[in-house]
Amino acid sequence: MQVHIDPRRVLATLRALARFGAQGKGVSRPALSPEDMAARRWLAGQMREAGLEADIDAVGNVYGRTPGVRHALLVGSHSDSVPNGGWLDGALGVVYGLEAARAWRAQQPHAPVGIDVIAFSDEEGRYLSCLGSRSFCEALDGIDPGRLQYGGATLAEAAAAAGLPAQGLARLEPARHLAYLEAHIEQGPRLDDGGLDVGIVTGIAGMQRYLVQFGGRADHAGTTPMAVRKDAALAAFEFALACEAALRRAGGPDSVWNFGALALQPGVANVVARSATLTVEFRDLSPEVLERLAQALHECVSLRDGQRGVSVAATRQNALAPARMDPALQAHLQAQARQAGARSLALPSGAIHDAMVLARRVPTAMLFIPSIGGRSHTPVEDTAERHIMLGAEVFCGALARAAQQAAPGGAAAK
Amino acid sequence: MQVHIDPRRVLATLRALARFGAQGKGVSRPALSPEDMAARRWLAGQMREAGLEADIDAVGNVYGRTPGVRHALLVGSHSDSVPNGGWLDGALGVVYGLEAARAWRAQQPHAPVGIDVIAFSDEEGRYLSCLGSRSFCEALDGIDPGRLQYGGATLAEAAAAAGLPAQGLARLEPARHLAYLEAHIEQGPRLDDGGLDVGIVTGIAGMQRYLVQFGGRADHAGTTPMAVRKDAALAAFEFALACEAALRRAGGPDSVWNFGALALQPGVANVVARSATLTVEFRDLSPEVLERLAQALHECVSLRDGQRGVSVAATRQNALAPARMDPALQAHLQAQARQAGARSLALPSGAIHDAMVLARRVPTAMLFIPSIGGRSHTPVEDTAERHIMLGAEVFCGALARAAQQAAPGGAAAK
């Protein structure tokens, strides 16, 4: 089965999409914002022009189905962005899917395996990280999405204000959706540093995030002798450094961790901090390593609790199990990269993607293209045009391989 | 010269003042808020009832002058509070002054040395720490008070909205004001822990405050290998702990320091901190020790600058020289405490007071009364009634001693 895509059209579609919420070289399209909704309505129109039956569902997922087929490859990513984000990020994977569907409908109108395209809602977590794909996969784990909040409004209120339908959710259909494939920028420096063209994702690192609370006592910083203070700020600083050392000892070579947020109360120069709240998160591809990292964190909490007269307690705020990518789909991407002359690297994803949610339900794969300087979630995020176009060819070629193998008698006939 | 005050009236006046901005057991009277202004208008009325000529000036100082005298002792403190503060704090010193003036006018209407009472504006620094006393002493160091800002409004706008006159500032008159005396709660635990009744302040510790800026690089906390990060958060934590150790080595036995505020940017769990801003302040009564502490801070900055790939730079945000209290006035407080049977302690003030500003211009003294548990700037701030009343007697008795000595021929006649 042969499908030829138009790499220049991919670039043009990406540039057209980047006009929605444009801010300098980047875009600001937080989920359900007017800019995000305008982009979603435009994407639904593009899907219809490509020959798909497209609608926007009650949480904002834009879902285009190939008519008249019993089986399809589901392809896409997300079209929302972080505030003041980059122009590619999830948009890339949505536009690759759109291009594949266009080429498919035009060149293989009777193919037994169609291309369904999806632009998931709120992958960036304005309301909930991977909201759209979690809704699509019925993986909300008991969360009532209507009650999620942002900026004083519930998701239900924001959805109504955005003009979304009150009812109707797109759903994964296990009998129809043979696989999910997603393209994305790497968001890290490995491909760019290595002079590589594409990355074939082996898995998505699992993540655990904790809130560590420090309880001290507020005191006047001029009148309270040093010896009697219960300083939550210094206790938090010491904890973070001890925890960093413990995580390094417990982790594997690809483990990463971060202490990205710290709030001191009352947080003024002349009052000893009464309390501190520190976020700790760590990631690894191996469930065993994640378990060791969690253990190391809890040991730190036990060791430091009560030191400096400050209580220490950790609560888990979020946990995502690692997701392995499907070996057969990885092999298709690998074979297509070889055929296209693209230099490739098999690598894990340290970032979370909608593919992480889908992988629990269907065979899933991801293709990365290089991020210049490893930068993302900023207006300077970019990828060379050559890499955007080459990536589209590798990705769509691999879709054809997967569709061929999945079609009745396909594997034997290839 | 004998003046008898009414300690029960002191309590009643304090309770009446605490109704303005009452929040539970405490008060919220940030400078120029409606609650603060209502309290100031009420205080001006109380001063007039006591026989003073009272007005509120353009920055909010409530100033009551004894008519018909060429010399006066200036007595008072501030009537503004921190948000959600305690009922005594500066209010205590204003009410002691009011009681002294009342007793004076009633019992010594022809005394050659009068009592002038002042309730300074914004000691707590909503717009500028010690704004009122700095304005009164012409010690604004080039700051244009009208341009100071809080909550998006300038002081000039807030003053106009609060109904303050556009012109007219109360001023220290060196030929008139023989001395400044201020009573205040200790705001620390030393008197309460020691079972003491009053504290006679030897001096007010000087303070230096720095903003330390850390410049790293924002990176995705999942995709960026640990080895290439430039983490401003961890650099700030390490700096604070190294600086704490250096300040301890450089300081004296009464030196104190604090790291009360830290802001991380962007300050989210899954992004490596691009920058951090840490406040460091330290205090001591000795200029030499303050110099050593500043040196230690700067050495820390030099040592850590560039470590973890993060730049470190410190800028001085504020500096107040220590202020010695007048020995003769201290002796009057001491003698009066002895006479009243009050157990006293000579101690430095770690907190800043309006007296620090006044001490540069006139002989100045302060009396402390105990803070239960050392607590202040919180609604639980309190002092035993017995201590409030005993403190008033010691304070007003010392005023009479000072007035007597200052009056023509006074020192010889006593």
Side-chain angles (χ1 to χ4, degrees), chain A residues 67-384:
Chain A
V69 295
R70 288 175 53 210
H71 301 294
L73 302 175
L74 181 68
V75 184
S77 185
H78 63 97
S79 55
D80 61 298
S81 83
V82 296
N84 214 20
W87 74 295
L88 293 169
D89 204 283
L92 182 94
V94 173
V95 170
Y96 277 16
L98 198 54
E99 178 61 23
R102 272 193 192 120
W104 221 262
R105 293 293 295 155
Q107 298 164 38
Q108 298 280 351
H110 306 298
V113 176
I115 300 282
D116 289 353
V117 183
I118 194 152
F120 287 118
S121 186
D122 201 19
E123 191 266 354
E124 300 292 2
R126 195 187 213 197
Y127 296 91
L128 178 70
S129 181
C130 296
L131 167 66
S133 49
R134 291 177 72 165
S135 167
F136 188 77
C137 292
E138 300 175 70
L140 282 164
D141 304 333
I143 296 169
D144 175 356
R147 293 191 166 190
L148 295 166
Q149 297 223 356
Y150 176 81
T154 64
L155 175 58
E157 290 161 355
L164 291 174
Q167 305 273 327
L169 290 169
R171 293 289 195 203
L172 183 80
E173 295 167 53
R176 174 184 179 90
H177 294 128
L178 305 176
Y180 173 68
L181 288 102
E182 177 173 358
H184 206 281
I185 57 168
E186 181 198 351
Q187 303 185 268
R190 294 181 64 179
L191 297 178
D192 190 42
D193 286 355
L196 300 159
D197 301 315
V198 295
I200 292 153
V201 178
T202 54
I204 302 176
M207 187 271 280
Q208 295 189 22
R209 185 179 296 169
Y210 293 80
L211 273 188
V212 187
Q213 295 273 2
F214 302 84
R217 190 183 62 205
D219 277 311
H220 191 296
T223 60
T224 312
M226 296 310 295
V228 304
R229 297 187 183 189
K230 300 177 176 182
D231 186 328
L234 288 169
F237 302 161
E238 277 178 348
F239 174 90
L241 294 169
C243 190
E244 184 202 23
L247 294 174
R248 177 170 293 125
R249 285 191 300 272
D254 288 332
S255 299
V256 292
W257 48 83
N258 193 43
F259 306 87
L262 174 67
L264 302 179
Q265 291 296 336
V268 293
N270 62 349
V271 180
V272 178
R274 172 181 66 238
S275 67
T277 307
L278 176 74
T279 62
V280 184
E281 66 163 47
F282 48 78
R283 306 180 194 226
D284 200 274
L285 202 52
S286 149
E288 295 71 33
V289 173
L290 284 171
E291 187 46 46
R292 290 208 308 268
L293 291 166
Q295 183 96 25
L297 172 81
H298 289 300
E299 280 167 17
C300 271
V301 170
S302 300
L303 274 171
R304 316 265 348 149
D305 185 25
Q307 293 202 24
R308 286 185 185 266
V310 173
S311 65
V312 186
T315 51
R316 201 166 77 176
Q317 209 191 4
N318 202 354
L320 291 166
R324 295 271 171 194
M325 297 292 99
D326 182 71
L329 294 173
Q330 286 184 63
H332 290 319
L333 287 165
Q334 197 71 64
Q336 192 62 30
R338 240 186 337 264
Q339 185 178 316
R343 282 160 302 177
S344 71
L345 175 72
L347 82 176
S349 171
I352 287 163
H353 296 286
D354 293 306
M356 196 173 198
V357 178
L358 273 292
R360 271 172 230 136
R361 301 286 304 278
V362 287
T364 292
M366 285 195 83
L367 182 76
F368 279 169
I369 63 170
S371 295
I372 295 173
R375 308 299 302 279
S376 73
H377 284 190
T378 150
V380 308
E381 165 192 299
D382 209 356
T383 299

Side-chain angles (χ1 to χ4, degrees), chain B residues 288-372:
Chain B
E288 295 71 34
V289 173
L290 283 171
E291 187 46 45
R292 291 208 309 267
L293 292 166
Q295 183 96 25
L297 172 82
H298 288 301
E299 279 167 17
C300 271
V301 170
S302 300
L303 273 170
R304 316 265 350 146
D305 185 25
Q307 292 201 27
R308 286 185 185 265
V310 173
S311 65
V312 186
T315 52
R316 201 166 78 176
Q317 210 191 2
N318 202 353
L320 291 166
R324 295 274 171 192
M325 298 292 100
D326 181 71
L329 294 174
Q330 288 184 61
H332 290 317
L333 288 164
Q334 198 71 64
Q336 192 62 29
R338 238 186 340 262
Q339 185 179 317
R343 282 161 300 176
S344 71
L345 174 73
L347 82 175
S349 170
I352 287 163
H353 297 287
D354 293 306
M356 196 174 198
V357 179
L358 274 292
R360 272 173 229 134
R361 301 287 304 278
V362 287
T364 292
M366 285 195 82
L367 182 78
F368 279 170
I369 63 169
S371 295
I372 294 173

